[in-house]
Amino acid sequence: MSSAAEQEAVAGVVAAEEGRPAAVVNGARHKAPGVPVWPGTPVPLGARFRVGPDGVAGTNFALWAGGAESVELCLFDERGDEIRETRARLSELTHEIWHGFVPGVMPGQRYGFRVHGRWDPWTGGRWNPAKLLLDPYARAVDGDFSLPPEVYGHVRDWPQQHVADTVRDERDSAPFVPKGVVVHDDDDWADDRRPKTPWADSVIYEVHVRGFTKLHPGIPQELRGTYAGLAHPAAIEHLVKLGVTAVELLPVHQFAHEDHLLRKGLRNYWGYNSIGYFAPHAGYAASGTTGEQVGEFKRMVRALHAAGIEVILDVVYNHTAEAGELGPTLSLKGIDNRGYYRLQSDARRYADYTGCGNTLHVVQPHVLRLITDSLRYWVTEMGVDGFRFDLAAALARSMHDVDMLSPFLAVIAQDPVLRRVKLIAEPWDVGSGGYQVGAFPSLWTEWNDRYRNAVRDFWRGALPDVRDLGYRLSGSSDLYAWGGRRPYASVNFVTAHDGFTLRDLVSYERKHNEANGEGNRDGSNDNRAWNCGAEGETDDERVRTLRRRQLRNLLTTLLLSTGVPMLVAGDELGRTQRGNNNAYCQDNEISWLDWSLLQDPGWKALFELTARLIELRHRHPVLRRRAFFSGRAHSADGLRDLAWFTSRGSEMTERDWYAPAATLGMYLSGRDIPGRDERGAPIVDDSFLAVLHAGDRPASFVLPGPPWAERYEVVVDTSREEQGEAPGVEHRAGTAITMPARAVLLLRVA
């Protein structure tokens, strides 16, 4: 080696192997020119345009960087080139926040930070001013993240990879990273009306902004794949016809693509790789990326609210796109690595409870502030109605263990803004003790994967008995009937973005993820799926007919169950991912909704059944109870609010719950609904009998006689392709009816 930089790098490796701090590679420093920077204020954090002293317009910049030695503000022109003569040092330091007011910096200005400090990976210090850093509080981000070697704080391609993370890379990353954008926001939301749908009345629709709109024929080409596309009347029309009350958007925080995907020509489609917790992802904007995406997102929220639809964001505060010690330096890692991330006792390494390389250190006050400031911003200034927290158990960890009295949960519980919005936990992470279904406090609802597993197993004939199914259909009281929680604490789902689509669940038994380029090793092997006799698409009409019936069974079960149902966009019209159960990197037709399916009479009928079931749910409070069933009689005739029946028409005994069974009857009394309506009147509804039969042959079922009913009227019969023929058919109580193979009957007590 001949250059001084190379010689210093060698010295760094030698030092690393001897346990000493590595040498700095090319340790030159930029001297900041004398740009006027007034003291400004340490709050609020981020870049805020305002009128300063003497009526001078400009922007206040504030950055928490607790262990840093100094912070430089860098400004960029429209081509992304740094305006060197405007580089400014933020010299004011208040409570570990570096701040300054820069006159003349207007909305639309691109900017970033360079943070100086000691390079000492052994103690967690990874400061490197050669790396331009994204403001954690940036309201908008302009440009894409690519991951060439220059964006890594260490020498990524160092020959000795076991010490590569200890050798600092001095190449400037600014040409290769996106920039924050100064945004001026004076919107007061005076014209917006939030739907404020009660939890018990909610039906959630999990949707990807890009995938839902990308192929929609009614949306103009230039708006497809964008916030404006989801706000388009053609998109909203589908949601209104279906009857859902809320869209749960897959991540829309600014995110980055992983290096291993970019190397294979793929991209992160789902977006669970956040790097900007205040910025709407610029890739979903039709109007522009220098602040325009903020207004476009707000207009989308307003349009959905006007249609009576709430907006819930899937948020990823458990980790960031910076991965572990061998990951890029994009923002927090270069601002204060040991202040923002959980590190192991060997501070070179990251504590990873997420499977993504790092975990945010939520116990730290400034990290907790970052998260709660972000949440409040999306509620108060962007108009959203709630959040689904990815790997929420990681956020609930104190120092190590999951703790339901953790700082994060405590802060949420007392926050006057956040405690009033919808809060959904994905109640697990990948660390020890991370599975916490049923354990979150009373403010929270949870994704209930035990519901998913029980319903899948029942309809594929794999439940040893029906005990678990009974709990899941009636609100999972075994999990949630404590601490003031209600049945709507359970978000019931059969499918989610992660896993098979509903159609694939009845078409494949094995994952087919070859397109992901990981040798089909990625994705879950525990699919609890049944292909109905053939793997994948088939011309066998018998198999195709059975699959459509199974789809009707699964959707009907979901929408008749007590709790909050969640549908995945496209399941109501037969969307397929061709057996891919981990399509996180498939930004193409594998993931996008195929709207042409609605032209097929069979798939259109599935959509119509789904809409009809949702409408039934909205119309009948007995299907969306606000309190758990008691199983006891509340009226003089001795009828209980919930009763279970065997195929013989007799009430189930303890022995029946433990015996193998393919048939289950569930009686829901509409006369014993707890609570009163808004005017104080008792809530009274029809009573229903739901009969679920998962056997592969028709079976006899005796309809319960008096006092349960005199007659029953068929409301839904999933053995029929078209539901129009089913309603109106009546049966006398006490008679035996023939349950078709693999079917659900919903009968109203006439």
Side-chain angles (χ1 to χ4, degrees):
M1 294 186 179
S2 58
S3 71
E6 290 171 327
Q7 292 172 9
E8 289 182 29
V10 172
V13 172
V14 173
E17 293 173 342
E18 294 177 357
R20 296 184 285 107
V24 173
V25 180
N26 242 355
R29 293 287 184 268
H30 295 295
K31 184 178 180 181
V35 176
V37 181
W38 300 347
T41 61
V43 290
L45 290 167
R48 287 296 187 96
F49 173 77
R50 63 180 176 83
V51 176
D54 300 324
V56 176
T59 299
N60 192 84
F61 295 91
L63 177 72
W64 183 92
E69 295 173 358
S70 63
V71 173
E72 289 180 300
L73 169 69
C74 304
L75 304 180
F76 295 82
D77 62 22
E78 294 180 358
R79 297 175 299 178
D81 296 330
E82 185 174 354
I83 310 170
R84 291 286 178 149
E85 61 273 14
T86 63
R87 188 182 293 192
R89 193 175 296 275
L90 302 181
S91 58
E92 298 295 323
L93 181 61
T94 305
H95 305 311
E96 299 185 318
I97 297 171
W98 302 83
H99 56 91
F101 178 85
V102 184
V105 171
M106 307 297 284
Q109 176 65 59
R110 300 162 178 84
Y111 72 99
F113 295 113
R114 299 183 189 273
V115 181
H116 297 258
R118 186 179 180 189
W119 176 262
D120 188 7
W122 290 266
T123 61
R126 293 184 177 273
W127 285 283
N128 186 345
K131 308 305 165 184
L132 186 78
L133 305 175
L134 183 68
D135 179 4
Y137 280 73
R139 303 294 181 93
V141 176
D142 181 47
D144 263 336
F145 283 102
S146 60
L147 296 179
E150 289 84 354
V151 304
Y152 290 76
H154 65 282
V155 181
R156 186 181 71 173
D157 301 323
W158 192 253
Q160 291 84 7
Q161 278 291 295
H162 67 289
V163 293
D165 70 289
T166 70
V167 184
R168 192 165 77 177
D169 188 308
E170 286 294 323
R171 288 171 289 186
D172 186 5
S173 70
F176 309 99
V177 294
K179 317 304 187 288
V181 181
V182 177
V183 175
H184 180 47
D185 184 11
D186 57 358
D187 194 335
D188 62 5
W189 287 88
D191 60 339
D192 183 62
R193 295 293 180 269
R194 294 177 184 262
K196 297 182 180 179
T197 307
W199 257 127
D201 301 341
S202 297
V203 178
I204 297 173
Y205 191 68
E206 191 190 41
V207 61
H208 191 287
V209 169
R210 179 169 169 83
F212 185 77
T213 60
K214 185 63 178 174
L215 300 178
H216 198 300
I219 298 175
Q221 186 71 41
E222 66 275 12
L223 300 184
R224 296 180 188 178
T226 69
Y227 307 118
L230 187 55
H232 191 274
I236 291 178
E237 179 185 20
H238 180 82
L239 302 174
V240 171
K241 283 184 177 179
L242 188 57
V244 297
T245 67
V247 290
E248 182 178 303
L249 304 182
L250 267 68
V252 296
H253 288 166
Q254 185 71 38
F255 62 85
H257 306 289
E258 294 89 334
D259 180 67
H260 74 94
L261 294 178
L262 295 173
R263 290 178 184 231
K264 290 184 288 190
L266 298 171
R267 297 164 61 84
N268 188 314
Y269 171 70
W270 287 349
Y272 290 92
N273 207 36
S274 299
I275 197 61
Y277 291 132
F278 290 77
H281 185 64
Y284 300 156
S287 54
T289 60
T290 55
E292 298 88 352
Q293 62 265 54
V294 177
E296 184 177 332
F297 185 93
K298 291 180 178 182
R299 290 189 292 274
M300 176 196 73
V301 172
R302 279 188 169 89
L304 289 164
H305 282 178
I309 297 169
E310 293 184 304
V311 178
I312 298 170
L313 301 189
D314 195 334
V315 290
V316 189
Y317 294 112
N318 55 78
H319 76 279
T320 75
E322 293 185 300
E325 62 270 13
L326 296 177
T329 297
L330 307 173
S331 183
L332 305 182
K333 184 182 289 186
I335 295 171
D336 193 331
N337 181 59
R338 59 193 175 203
Y340 278 106
Y341 292 115
R342 291 180 181 265
L343 304 179
Q344 299 182 25
S345 55
D346 173 6
R348 273 181 64 191
R349 315 297 181 195
Y350 292 75
D352 184 8
Y353 297 111
T354 67
C356 299
N358 65 55
T359 307
L360 281 180
H361 203 349
V362 180
V363 174
Q364 296 280 12
H366 49 274
V367 179
L368 189 58
R369 178 181 179 181
L370 170 68
I371 294 172
T372 53
D373 282 353
S374 168
L375 292 169
R376 282 189 292 269
Y377 170 74
W378 287 96
V379 174
T380 60
E381 298 192 41
M382 301 295 274
V384 307
D385 306 284
F387 306 93
R388 179 265 187 189
F389 292 81
D390 180 65
L391 300 183
L395 298 173
R397 290 183 180 270
S398 290
M399 293 311 296
H400 299 289
D401 296 332
V402 178
D403 178 7
M404 291 304 158
L405 298 176
S406 66
F408 172 74
L409 295 178
V411 166
I412 295 292
Q414 60 79 42
D415 189 283
V417 172
L418 301 180
R419 69 188 182 202
R420 300 178 65 182
V421 302
K422 288 183 164 66
L423 302 170
I424 306 171
E426 182 183 37
W428 51 77
D429 65 20
V430 302
S432 175
Y435 187 75
Q436 294 289 325
V437 171
F440 273 72
S442 58
L443 274 180
W444 292 76
T445 64
E446 301 175 17
W447 272 25
N448 187 353
D449 67 329
R450 290 185 59 180
Y451 179 93
R452 175 198 64 196
N453 294 347
V455 170
R456 288 187 180 192
D457 281 346
F458 177 75
W459 285 112
R460 70 188 180 104
L463 272 185
D465 51 51
V466 291
R467 285 176 296 158
D468 200 33
L469 183 67
Y471 275 121
R472 304 308 145 231
L473 296 177
S474 58
S476 294
S477 60
D478 59 329
L479 298 176
Y480 301 111
W482 64 272
R485 304 190 81 181
R486 299 298 184 94
Y488 47 77
S490 177
V491 175
N492 300 329
F493 66 103
V494 178
T495 59
H497 66 274
D498 187 1
F500 282 145
T501 67
L502 201 67
R503 178 175 169 183
D504 288 356
L505 188 66
V506 301
S507 303
Y508 298 88
E509 292 185 4
R510 303 182 304 277
K511 64 187 181 184
H512 296 267
N513 298 355
E514 291 80 7
N516 297 353
E518 300 179 39
N520 206 35
R521 294 182 300 273
D522 62 305
S524 175
N525 293 314
D526 182 20
N527 295 299
R528 301 171 188 253
W530 178 50
N531 63 19
C532 297
E535 186 72 1
E537 295 302 310
T538 178
D539 293 328
D540 187 327
E541 190 55 38
R542 180 187 60 84
V543 172
R544 290 158 63 96
T545 298
L546 176 56
R547 287 176 177 174
R548 289 194 295 272
R549 181 179 294 194
Q550 286 288 80
L551 291 178
R552 295 193 293 273
N553 291 334
L554 291 163
L555 284 168
T556 301
T557 303
L558 174 64
L559 291 166
L560 295 182
S561 298
T562 301
V564 178
M566 184 186 79
L567 297 165
V568 177
D571 275 354
E572 75 280 10
L573 47 87
R575 183 174 76 89
T576 176
Q577 291 179 171
R578 307 170 198 166
N580 192 322
N581 77 348
N582 189 37
Y584 78 104
C585 57
Q586 298 299 322
D587 187 5
N588 51 47
E589 288 83 356
I590 291 177
S591 297
W592 303 339
L593 267 68
D594 179 4
W595 292 96
S596 70
L597 291 166
L598 282 175
Q599 306 306 311
D600 182 307
W603 299 124
K604 184 178 181 182
L606 184 68
F607 169 80
E608 291 171 347
L609 171 64
T610 307
R612 184 162 175 264
L613 288 165
I614 293 174
E615 194 273 334
L616 266 175
R617 188 178 182 90
H618 289 325
R619 186 157 25 106
H620 292 287
V622 72
L623 299 178
R624 43 185 174 82
R625 289 172 56 102
R626 289 166 166 77
F628 287 105
F629 295 99
S630 69
R632 297 189 298 271
H634 296 278
S635 54
D637 55 16
L639 296 184
R640 287 181 293 285
D641 58 358
L642 173 68
W644 302 95
F645 292 90
T646 69
S647 59
R648 303 181 301 275
S650 58
E651 289 192 68
M652 293 186 67
T653 65
E654 187 74 10
R655 176 178 295 180
D656 292 324
W657 283 112
Y658 287 84
T663 309
L664 180 66
M666 178 175 66
Y667 185 97
L668 306 172
S669 173
R671 291 182 296 171
D672 300 298
I673 301 174
R676 295 181 293 174
D677 66 17
E678 293 178 348
R679 298 184 179 181
I683 300 174
V684 180
D685 193 14
D686 293 328
S687 297
F688 290 91
L689 176 68
V691 184
L692 292 77
H693 176 55
D696 60 358
R697 298 175 181 274
S700 174
F701 187 91
V702 177
L703 297 174
W708 301 101
E710 297 288 344
R711 291 177 294 113
Y712 294 91
E713 177 189 15
V714 176
V715 178
V716 175
D717 178 357
T718 64
S719 70
R720 301 174 180 269
E721 290 271 3
E722 300 289 341
Q723 291 300 303
E725 304 172 35
V729 176
E730 289 195 0
H731 299 284
R732 292 183 61 83
T735 60
I737 63 172
T738 299
M739 280 295 300
R742 296 193 176 92
V744 179
L745 280 185
L746 179 65
L747 304 106
R748 180 188 292 112
V749 174

